[in-house]
Amino acid sequence: GGGRKRRPRVGVLLAANPEALGTYQPFINLWRCYSVKHGFEFILDTDDEEVRSLGLPLNWLRWFAARRQLPLFDYLLVADPDQFIAPECWNISLAVAALADFHKGTALPDVALRDVGPPQ
């Protein structure tokens, strides 16, 4: 029934170790507001136990968090807690822009990265 399509479930994920929350709180707040504005679910993951137990650098935290969250969403935007939405982009829904390209037949990446250097 009904033929009505369900709206894609979109999540915005930020992962940060608990000690960094105070430093990044202003950026975290911006991402939360951006998520609310565009109807996305906001996830702040601070579970760093696995990363620490494996002795990995803390910037791996986002990928362990993404692995936990991916099954729950159709689309998941993973942002670093020190990144922010520029004012010029505040009214742009990243999910709507990506879906527009998808419907035009443009292939979307499964994972898009901005990190090009060695792990921190």
Side-chain angles (χ1 to χ4, degrees), residues 92-102 108:
I92 297 172
S93 166
L94 296 173
V96 169
L99 289 173
D101 285 342
F102 175 75
L108 294 174

Side-chain angles (χ1 to χ4, degrees), residues 17-70:
N17 58 307
E19 300 86 5
L21 291 178
T23 302
Y24 297 126
Q25 194 62 56
F27 305 119
I28 292 168
N29 291 346
L30 285 172
W31 278 108
R32 184 184 170 286
C33 290
Y34 177 84
S35 299
V36 169
K37 176 178 177 59
H38 293 288
F40 304 154
E41 294 185 45
F42 178 75
I43 308 108
L44 176 59
D45 193 315
T46 59
D47 182 359
D48 61 0
E49 185 177 329
E50 188 175 11
V51 171
R52 287 183 191 267
S53 70
L54 294 171
L56 294 170
L58 289 175
N59 64 340
W60 277 86
L61 182 58
R62 63 179 170 249
W63 302 120
F64 282 79
R67 182 179 63 191
R68 290 189 293 272
Q69 297 296 327
L70 274 171

